[in-house]
């Protein structure tokens, strides 16, 4: 799977656990040296990062004699380097969204075409409810490739006549992922000749799925193991909640329009529906970054209705100097480029709030867009905020790294994080007044989203055990 959140070993797991450092080291050098010995002198470079790790993953699975390998494509499908498996047991396509447009195309239909590239002759494939045209494209790709394609029934259909299923992953969008996982698992178990897989249920399909161009797979009686599997599923960085005293961190690696919409629904349910603290105020903070060719303005616009008191932007670097931690480093992006992106996001957020103020007569008059990049003499850090303080009305701040951003938000109240630097490091009044509010609030609720790499960097700092 990709990307990793904290350590590269997360990408290659056996029995759910990242392979050990010793195994990773052993197979890395074995594959590296074999490629070095056999490469074509005319094309002397090594495979790129993702390709190398894909080759290495296949080698690990073969050498360790796993019974079943679950392989997530990197980007798209058709031209992805994972797409060399000629006859997988089964293929699955989850809910489609607009992402990686420079590679996959800028419409859902083009993206569906790329995803359908993993279909193989005679190998069953499953997908979930999709918009009409992309679903037709998937059907056409399946027909071209002589692949039997089925639509998963809703999870509700599995619950007919029995108790509601409990999912380990929060958020309504995980229900369609669970329905897809059940079909993939059952297909594998049938291939293995397993008995007692549950009777097929005769249920009427949801009206939403009627008249679709793809036949509906049957719902079936779930085994105890399947019910337990859905309940016990954990996936770091997806709808994850960390309660650290008065500070609660809500982490979700959403980075597309559809996933940010799902994230907002989850955050509102998980955080904003909580009772307000009786003994003081609640402060809401957004910590955001986005990478690649994503339309950050569209993503930020979806987050405005959550009524954040502060929006904090920073690159995906855990520390300003990441030289000692290659796992968290993106070698394709400089700190300067990443900070420029954060400053653009900050301006976008301020503009979105101004537009909202224009529509809402109860909010104070808007701030002028603009800002001041201030070197802080005490630490040499950078902080950028709008040119006037605006307590509890979403000042936007930029920090040069995650560690500084998280420390400012937590204000020494999260036992996993050191207190922020002395006040000299944050000279701007909006940062100072915010620090007071954050220190005094009965509850601080922080949503970290926009990038899986951002969430991974935050997890590394908030849960040090993950780095072991």
């Amino acid at each position: 799977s990709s990307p990793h959140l904290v350590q590269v070993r997360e990408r290659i797991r056996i029995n759910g656990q990242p392979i050990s450092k010793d195994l990773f080291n052993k197979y890395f050098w074995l594959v590296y040296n074999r490629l070095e010995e056999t490469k074509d002198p005319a094309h002397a470079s090594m495979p790129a990062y993702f390709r190398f790790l894909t080759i290495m993953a296949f080698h690990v699975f073969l050498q360790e004699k796993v019974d079943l390998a679950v392989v997530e494509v990197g980007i798209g499908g058709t031209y992805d380097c994972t797409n060399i498996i000629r006859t997988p047991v089964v293929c699955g396509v989850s809910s489609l969204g607009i992402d990686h447009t420079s590679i996959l195309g800028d419409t859902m239909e083009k993206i569906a075409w790329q995803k359908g590239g993993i279909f193989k002759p005679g190998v069953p494939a499953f997908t979930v409810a999709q918009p009409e045209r992309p679903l037709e494209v998937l059907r056409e790709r399946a027909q071209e490739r002589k692949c039997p394609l089925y639509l998963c029934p809703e999870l509700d259909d599995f619950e007919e006549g029995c108790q509601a299923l409990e999912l380990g992953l929060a958020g309504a969008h995980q229900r369609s992922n669970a329905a897809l996982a059940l079909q993939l698992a059952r297909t594998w178990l049938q291939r293995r000749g397993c008995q007692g897989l549950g009777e097929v249920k005769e249920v009427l399909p949801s009206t939403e799925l009627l008249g679709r161009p793809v036949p509906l797979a049957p719902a079936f009686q779930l085994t105890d193991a399947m019910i337990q599997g859905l309940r016990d599923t954990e996936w770091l960085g997806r709808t994850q909640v960390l309660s650290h005293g008065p500070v609660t961190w809500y982490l979700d690696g959403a980075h597309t329009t559809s996933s940010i919409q799902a994230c907002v629904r989850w955050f509102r349910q998980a955080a904003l529906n909580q009772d307000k603290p009786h003994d003081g105020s609640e402060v809401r903070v957004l910590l955001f970054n986005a990478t690649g060719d994503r339309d950050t303005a569209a993503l930020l616009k979806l987050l405005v209705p959550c009524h954040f008191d502060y929006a904090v932007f920073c690159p995906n670097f855990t520390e300003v100097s990441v030289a000692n931690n290659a796992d968290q480093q993106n070698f394709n992006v400089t700190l300067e480029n990443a900070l420029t992106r954060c400053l653009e996001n900050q301006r976008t957020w301020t503009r979105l709030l101004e537009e909202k103020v224009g529509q809402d007569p109860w909010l104070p008059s808007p701030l002028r867009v603009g800002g001041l990049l201030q070197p802080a003499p005490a630490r040499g850090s950078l902080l950028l905020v709008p040119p006037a303080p605006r307590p509890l009305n979403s000042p936007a701040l930029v920090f040069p790294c995650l560690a500084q951003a998280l420390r400012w938000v937590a204000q020494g109240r999260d036992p996993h994080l050191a207190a922020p630097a002395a006040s000299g490091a944050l000279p701007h009044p909006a940062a100072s007044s915010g620090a007071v509010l954050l220190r005094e609030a009965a509850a601080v609720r922080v949503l970290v989203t926009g990038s899986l790499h951002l969430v991974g960097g935050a997890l590394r700092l908030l849960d040090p055990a993950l780095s072991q």
Side-chain angles (χ1 to χ4, degrees):
S1 63
S2 65
H4 62 271
L5 292 172
V6 178
Q7 297 194 69
V8 68
R9 295 182 294 111
E10 297 163 31
R11 293 174 183 239
I12 307 173
R13 297 169 182 258
I14 296 179
N15 295 334
Q17 296 303 310
I19 60 173
S20 68
K21 289 182 180 178
D22 288 344
L23 264 192
F24 187 93
N25 197 33
K26 169 185 164 183
Y27 286 120
F28 177 91
W29 288 112
L30 203 153
V31 171
Y32 186 94
N33 291 331
R34 187 73 52 82
L35 290 172
E36 187 71 43
E37 290 159 13
T38 56
K39 67 187 178 188
D40 179 353
H43 304 93
S45 60
M46 276 283 172
Y49 185 84
F50 184 82
R51 288 185 181 192
F52 183 94
L53 288 173
T54 303
I55 296 165
M56 182 174 153
F58 286 138
H59 189 70
V60 169
F61 295 150
L62 288 166
Q63 293 300 307
E64 295 296 313
K65 298 180 171 54
V66 301
D67 306 296
L68 163 69
V70 181
V71 180
E72 180 203 36
V73 301
I75 293 177
T78 300
Y79 303 115
D80 193 80
C81 64
T82 58
N83 195 26
I84 60 165
I85 304 168
R86 291 176 189 169
T87 50
V89 172
V90 62
C91 296
V93 176
S94 58
S95 186
L96 297 171
I98 298 280
D99 197 17
H100 303 294
T101 50
S102 59
I103 300 169
L104 304 182
D106 54 3
T107 67
M108 292 276 271
E109 288 81 2
K110 289 176 183 173
I111 290 169
W113 188 91
Q114 295 279 0
K115 302 279 184 182
I118 66 169
F119 296 156
K120 302 290 185 292
V123 172
F126 295 88
T127 189
V128 296
Q130 311 278 10
E132 191 173 350
R133 274 295 300 138
L135 187 61
E136 285 174 7
V137 172
L138 288 176
R139 182 195 64 184
E140 288 160 11
R141 291 287 270 160
Q143 287 174 340
E144 278 170 26
R145 293 170 166 259
K146 298 181 173 52
C147 156
L149 175 66
Y150 303 95
L151 202 57
C152 294
E154 300 284 351
L155 202 58
D156 299 8
D157 294 340
F158 290 91
E159 296 174 330
E160 290 281 319
C162 61
Q163 65 194 62
L165 292 165
E166 188 185 332
L167 301 187
L169 298 177
H173 57 291
Q174 297 294 354
R175 289 180 67 80
S176 80
N177 289 336
L180 179 59
L182 289 171
Q183 296 290 352
L184 300 179
R186 186 170 197 256
T187 306
W188 158 249
L189 291 167
Q190 284 177 320
R191 169 70 73 88
R192 292 294 297 264
C194 294
Q195 302 301 311
L197 286 180
E199 297 301 310
V200 169
K201 294 177 137 190
E202 291 300 325
V203 293
L204 290 171
S206 311
T207 50
E208 188 189 339
L209 302 180
L210 286 171
R212 294 291 180 137
V214 175
L216 194 67
F220 50 89
Q221 193 80 39
L222 302 187
T223 65
D224 290 344
M226 288 173 175
I227 293 167
Q228 183 185 344
L230 294 179
R231 187 177 61 238
D232 294 348
T233 299
E234 290 181 355
W235 200 256
L236 297 182
R238 275 77 166 182
T239 59
Q240 184 183 359
V241 182
L242 292 176
S243 295
H244 290 180
V247 187
T248 308
W249 305 91
Y250 299 84
L251 302 127
D252 191 71
H255 50 274
T256 65
T257 332
S258 50
S259 59
I260 288 279
Q261 284 170 330
C263 171
V264 167
R265 284 194 296 272
W266 161 72
F267 180 66
R268 286 182 132 170
Q269 190 175 2
L272 308 189
N273 282 353
Q274 303 290 322
D275 292 334
K276 287 282 191 296
H278 295 299
D279 53 344
S281 65
E282 170 187 288
V283 177
R284 297 175 196 162
V285 182
L286 170 66
L287 177 55
F288 180 91
N289 191 38
T291 58
D293 53 11
R294 299 187 174 93
D295 182 353
T296 44
L299 303 184
L300 287 169
K301 189 170 186 176
L302 295 170
L303 290 158
V304 170
C306 291
H307 301 295
F308 292 104
D309 300 308
Y310 293 95
V312 174
F313 302 97
C314 70
N316 294 339
F317 302 120
T318 45
E319 303 280 354
V320 177
S321 168
V322 286
N324 299 328
N325 185 23
D327 274 317
Q328 296 294 138
Q329 189 161 1
N330 181 344
F331 295 96
N332 300 318
V333 179
T334 65
L335 177 59
E336 186 180 2
N337 289 344
L339 269 175
T340 302
R341 183 78 177 261
C342 292
L343 298 175
E344 288 167 4
N345 292 341
Q346 184 211 33
R347 282 194 291 272
T348 301
W349 183 256
T350 309
R351 177 176 54 76
L352 287 167
L353 290 175
E354 289 190 348
E355 289 169 3
K356 186 170 183 293
V357 168
Q359 298 158 9
D360 188 342
W362 300 106
L363 289 176
S365 59
L367 279 175
R368 292 298 95 217
V369 177
L372 182 63
L373 193 60
Q374 299 184 330
R379 302 259 303 215
S381 61
L382 295 172
L383 171 77
L384 191 115
V385 293
R390 183 168 58 169
L392 285 178
N393 193 18
S394 294
L397 291 75
V398 171
F399 290 89
C401 68
L402 259 162
Q404 289 187 25
L406 293 181
R407 285 184 199 122
W408 181 80
V409 171
Q411 287 298 316
R413 303 178 74 191
D414 182 330
H416 294 94
L417 295 168
S423 56
L426 296 174
H428 200 282
S432 320
S433 60
V436 173
L437 289 164
L438 288 163
R439 278 197 296 271
E440 294 178 354
V444 179
R445 305 194 190 282
V446 193
L447 175 62
V448 184
T449 193
S451 161
L452 274 166
H453 303 285
L454 179 79
V455 166
L459 272 172
R460 180 170 177 268
L461 295 164
L462 295 169
D463 187 353
L466 294 173
S467 301
Q468 301 311 308

